[in-house]
Amino acid sequence: MAIEEEVPPPKPPSSPSSIDGSSQRKTKPGTKRLFLTLSVLLSFLSGIPFLLKSTEIHRSPLPFAGAISSRQNLSFPCRFHAVFLPSSSSSFSPPQALARSLLQSTSSSSTCSSVTISVTVDSPGGCESTEDGIWKCGARNGIEFSGDVDDDAVDELLDLRIGAAARIYTVVVAVKEEEVRVVVGKHRHAWIVGRVSEEAAVEMVSEIFAKMFMRGGREENKEEEDFMPVGLDGNLVLSLSLLNAGPNDWVYDWEMQKVEKLILAPVVEALAPIANIRTESQVLYHTPKSSISSWDDNLSSYVFSTRDLPFFVNSNEWHLDTSVAVTGRSKVLQFVVYVPSVDECPLLLRLPNGDTSKTNGFISPMWGGVVVWNPPNCSRNSLLTQLTRNMISPEEMQKIFQVFVGQLRLLFGFKSDYSHVVGGRKFNFLPSVRGFTEWELDVLYRHHACSNLISCTSTLESLSKLVQSLPRMIVKDEIGKQSSLARHMLKNSYVFVLISFCNGTYHVVVCK
């Protein structure tokens, strides 16, 4: 007989209220858990700088504050002295009144930061001056300003009399019963001779001060556009080339060493404070020009016009690169003597007014100049049966290189001739054997110093704008170091140039 065993029903799940209270936390988490949590959080936060440092873009600080950015801050103090020598039948106002009139008409020059004008009236009856020591009273005795006297002699005598104040620009007005003449000397003085009134004398003296001595005869709106043909590294190479277009007809050579010693050496010495100038020369053959000339029966020669000048230089045939040591920042000016072949000889340049050029040459801005030299008796009848190497005579070489010096003056912003018309009056200039007079060199020094300082400032400002516009751009420490050095040199150069001009010494600083 089977015995059935009763199975008890399953127990229902226990309710929360039935959980054993001994296994539950009766207090809040303590400081241990809080410490562990903060330790993990601080470990994470301490790794954030390392993460940012590993992913950041290095940008060295660029200190551009305080850079010179105004052209007005780059002007220089100017000192002028006017000497009036009235005749016994004429009279002038007191020196103080003349100084005020000159200052009012001269101070408008933007080149000068400050203008100081002193006046001396040295008349037969007495002598008055606003500043002693520049013109000695009675110095008019022994100086003859008439037109019969050589201007070069007057120029040297004036330089001797006012040599102690050589750094002050001086204009002498000598009243005489003759036509008015205005002469600007090779040094830092000029003189006006003739029947001139006080009002006209003050006006002409102001024009000489402001337009000649300060601007070099340049127009006011063109001063900032003038090109200074000097490399960024302060070097300038004068490349001189003699081109024989048709060596089958004749071959010419030159004695360059004599020319460099007699003509080019004084010019290089005069421009030494502005640039380190080197000269190189070469002789090339089979160098035809690109333009086509035409025969003119009236001139009995071949002619090419100014319209042909852009096509005259044959860059494919003229290999004018003479220096392999010239770096990319140095400037090279080409000066070419072109000897035409017998098929186009003589070759003359016709000007737009129909006249022929006196120099038979032309310049190309920022490139150099060309002179077309026609050999003597250039015709087929003068050809030799056996070609020989001919030398250009010293007289012809001197004429050619005088034209080159005039072209160099044009490239530096001056006129090639020695006469200007200012305010309807003709100003005569005495030429210098160095190609540039002392007051013209002063203009170049000032302009070159201002150009270097402005160029340096513009470069720093452009770099600053570039870095600020590209926040993800990498700026190395070397760039920041060089920028700081450039800014420091810029400030020191500005002060140094002003002191140099005030003391009469010229050391132009090139900020690269």
Side-chain angles (χ1 to χ4, degrees), residues 130-340:
T130 60
E131 183 177 351
D132 297 331
I134 300 178
W135 177 271
K136 295 181 180 179
C137 292
R140 60 182 295 166
N141 300 327
I143 302 179
E144 182 60 43
F145 292 98
S146 63
D148 299 334
V149 181
D150 184 19
D151 288 335
D152 288 315
V154 176
D155 185 43
E156 296 302 328
L157 188 57
L158 274 178
D159 187 61
L160 181 63
R161 294 292 176 90
I162 57 181
R167 299 301 180 184
I168 300 178
Y169 299 96
T170 306
V171 177
V172 180
V173 180
V175 180
K176 290 183 173 293
E177 293 299 323
E178 59 184 61
E179 293 296 328
V180 179
R181 296 175 59 250
V182 182
V183 182
V184 182
K186 299 187 294 291
H187 305 285
R188 295 178 178 88
H189 45 256
W191 60 94
I192 304 171
V193 184
R195 293 185 297 270
V196 57
S197 62
E198 178 179 325
E199 181 180 357
V202 169
E203 182 181 357
M204 285 188 287
V205 171
S206 301
E207 289 177 349
I208 294 175
F209 282 155
K211 297 182 180 180
M212 294 293 107
F213 288 151
M214 289 298 101
R215 296 188 177 275
R218 308 177 185 186
E219 298 181 10
E220 296 184 4
N221 58 349
K222 287 186 176 182
E223 183 176 357
E224 295 184 2
E225 299 177 0
D226 290 338
F227 174 74
M228 183 68 69
V230 179
L232 295 178
D233 57 355
N235 292 327
L236 175 62
V237 179
L238 302 182
S239 179
L240 310 171
S241 302
L242 175 61
L243 308 186
N244 290 276
N248 295 328
D249 302 329
W250 42 56
V251 175
Y252 279 90
D253 202 345
W254 55 13
E255 296 181 2
M256 184 52 59
Q257 293 181 351
K258 293 183 179 180
V259 174
E260 291 180 351
K261 182 178 180 180
L262 298 178
I263 301 178
L264 295 181
V267 179
V268 172
E269 181 182 0
L271 297 176
I274 296 178
N276 180 23
I277 301 179
R278 295 186 295 111
T279 58
E280 298 178 349
S281 62
Q282 64 177 352
V283 180
L284 300 178
Y285 309 96
H286 299 285
T287 53
K289 58 184 178 63
S290 297
S291 61
I292 300 176
S293 58
S294 59
W295 176 260
D296 189 301
D297 292 330
N298 296 327
L299 298 175
S300 298
S301 64
Y302 292 90
V303 296
F304 65 103
S305 64
T306 54
R307 296 189 302 269
D308 302 324
L309 298 185
F311 312 101
F312 192 94
V313 178
N314 191 342
S315 58
N316 295 326
E317 301 291 341
W318 296 8
H319 303 290
L320 303 179
D321 297 331
T322 61
S323 177
V324 296
V326 175
T327 60
R329 295 188 299 176
S330 299
K331 181 61 183 176
V332 180
L333 290 181
Q334 305 286 350
F335 290 97
V336 175
V337 179
Y338 180 80
V339 183

Side-chain angles (χ1 to χ4, degrees), residues 38-217:
L38 292 177
S39 298
V40 174
L41 181 60
L42 290 177
S43 299
F44 176 76
L45 293 178
S46 63
I48 292 178
F50 296 98
L51 177 63
L52 297 178
K53 186 67 177 178
S54 62
T55 58
E56 74 172 354
I57 297 177
H58 181 69
R59 293 169 64 87
S60 177
L62 302 178
F64 293 108
I68 303 173
S69 59
S70 175
R71 174 76 184 224
Q72 298 297 329
N73 294 334
L74 299 176
S75 53
F76 302 92
C78 304
R79 297 185 62 190
F80 303 129
H81 185 73
V83 180
F84 294 90
L85 307 178
S87 61
S88 57
S89 60
S90 62
S91 61
F92 281 85
S93 301
Q96 292 77 9
L98 292 172
R100 287 192 297 268
S101 300
L102 289 172
L103 183 62
Q104 183 178 2
S105 57
T106 308
S107 58
S108 59
S109 175
S110 60
T111 307
C112 303
S113 60
S114 61
V115 179
T116 304
I117 295 181
S118 56
V119 176
T120 299
V121 179
D122 190 358
S123 60
C127 179
E128 295 181 276
S129 179
T130 60
E131 183 177 351
D132 297 331
I134 300 178
W135 177 271
K136 295 181 180 179
C137 292
R140 60 182 295 166
N141 300 327
I143 302 179
E144 182 60 43
F145 292 98
S146 63
D148 299 334
V149 181
D150 184 19
D151 288 335
D152 288 315
V154 176
D155 185 43
E156 296 302 328
L157 188 57
L158 274 178
D159 187 61
L160 181 63
R161 294 292 176 90
I162 57 181
R167 299 301 180 184
I168 300 178
Y169 299 96
T170 306
V171 177
V172 180
V173 180
V175 180
K176 290 183 173 293
E177 293 299 323
E178 59 184 61
E179 293 296 328
V180 179
R181 296 175 59 250
V182 182
V183 182
V184 182
K186 299 187 294 291
H187 305 285
R188 295 178 178 88
H189 45 256
W191 60 94
I192 304 171
V193 184
R195 293 185 297 270
V196 57
S197 62
E198 178 179 325
E199 181 180 357
V202 169
E203 182 181 357
M204 285 188 287
V205 171
S206 301
E207 289 177 349
I208 294 175
F209 282 155
K211 297 182 180 180
M212 294 293 107
F213 288 151
M214 289 298 101
R215 296 188 177 275

Side-chain angles (χ1 to χ4, degrees), residues 456 460 481-491 511:
C456 184
L460 293 178
K481 179 181 178 181
Q482 294 295 331
S483 301
S484 300
L485 179 61
R487 176 178 172 271
H488 178 71
M489 292 180 61
L490 179 63
K491 286 187 174 182
C511 185

Side-chain angles (χ1 to χ4, degrees), residues 363-411:
I363 68 168
S364 177
M366 297 184 293
W367 183 84
V370 177
V371 173
V372 178
W373 181 74
N374 296 302
N377 301 322
C378 60
S379 64
R380 292 187 180 274
N381 296 330
S382 64
L383 293 179
L384 301 177
T385 56
Q386 184 177 0
L387 292 178
T388 58
R389 182 178 297 272
N390 305 299
M391 300 297 296
I392 301 179
S393 64
E395 294 78 11
E396 292 293 330
M397 288 286 290
Q398 186 173 8
K399 294 179 182 178
I400 292 173
F401 279 86
Q402 285 178 351
V403 176
F404 280 160
V405 173
Q407 292 178 345
L408 186 63
R409 288 174 52 85
L410 289 173
L411 293 172

